[in-house]
Amino acid sequence: MLSMLLVESGNVDTPAVKDSTILRSTTYCPQCPENNCYKCTLGHNNTLVASSGGLAFLQSLVGFNMPVAATQVESCTIQIPAFLTHQYPLTVIISLAAATEWNEDTVDGSNAPVAGDIITSVDVPAYNNLGAVDISAACKAAVNGEFSIYFSAGSNRYEFWSKDSGNPAILYIITNGN
């Protein structure tokens, strides 16, 4: 069981504890087990990818363990590292994952949690980065302090650093002291 802090009103920052790119494609993937793209485990790559174009659908799955109870969350935002390349306008879609029980070593396109409700969608101009995004709904829906979210692409492809690169996504929580 995750231990949580009881804090007075204030700010708490915490990094992602796990992340992975989820690849779903019916094409041939020679780097994957049985050449099956759905069986690729990409939980220890240095980058995360989201793309909706072409023959492959990629999402970035990011998991958090909040050090405070969901009832203490007044609001929270997420900040991802800078995009690696981003020459075109894009739409970043953030959804709540239906489950938190997944492991970077084994999660793949066939066993990853289902993407749930869309939390927000943000248009990002070319050559810009995604600023802090309000995901209070995800933080408040956390079960035992745990939740996972998906980053998907509504348009174009984007890539950003993963926790394995030393640059995890960061959750900024403002607590209400309850």
Side-chain angles (χ1 to χ4, degrees):
M1 173 126 180
L2 176 70
S3 74
M4 293 185 217
L5 303 171
L6 290 176
V7 296
E8 303 264 339
S9 293
N11 299 335
V12 178
D13 304 340
T14 189
V17 295
K18 56 186 175 180
D19 56 27
S20 182
T21 297
I22 305 301
L23 171 61
R24 294 180 177 97
S25 177
T26 57
T27 62
Y28 178 76
C29 292
Q31 75 277 17
C32 302
E34 301 171 27
N35 301 318
N36 182 340
C37 300
Y38 276 77
K39 294 185 178 184
C40 270
T41 54
L42 305 171
H44 293 290
N45 289 0
N46 282 335
T47 62
L48 299 169
V49 180
S51 177
S52 61
L55 299 173
F57 178 62
L58 293 103
Q59 295 174 294
S60 297
L61 179 59
V62 181
F64 288 95
N65 289 338
M66 292 192 310
V68 299
T71 57
Q72 290 188 283
V73 175
E74 183 174 311
S75 66
C76 68
T77 58
I78 189 171
Q79 180 72 54
I80 62 170
F83 295 122
L84 273 66
T85 57
H86 169 43
Q87 300 174 345
Y88 306 100
L90 59 89
T91 302
V92 174
I93 300 168
I94 302 174
S95 305
L96 188 61
T100 60
E101 298 84 26
W102 57 275
N103 183 299
E104 290 179 302
D105 297 329
T106 58
V107 71
D108 61 27
S110 64
N111 65 18
V114 174
D117 293 335
I118 293 175
I119 298 167
T120 191
S121 177
V122 181
D123 293 324
V124 182
Y127 301 105
N128 283 264
N129 286 303
L130 183 66
V133 178
D134 186 336
I135 60 165
S136 298
C139 295
K140 291 176 180 181
V143 176
N144 294 324
E146 296 181 5
F147 71 93
S148 296
I149 57 174
Y150 275 107
F151 284 85
S152 304
S155 62
N156 293 314
R157 174 189 189 281
Y158 60 93
E159 184 173 1
F160 58 98
W161 296 110
S162 74
K163 74 169 197 56
D164 290 282
S165 74
N167 297 295
I170 303 290
L171 189 64
Y172 299 101
I173 305 165
I174 296 176
T175 62
N176 58 23
N178 290 335

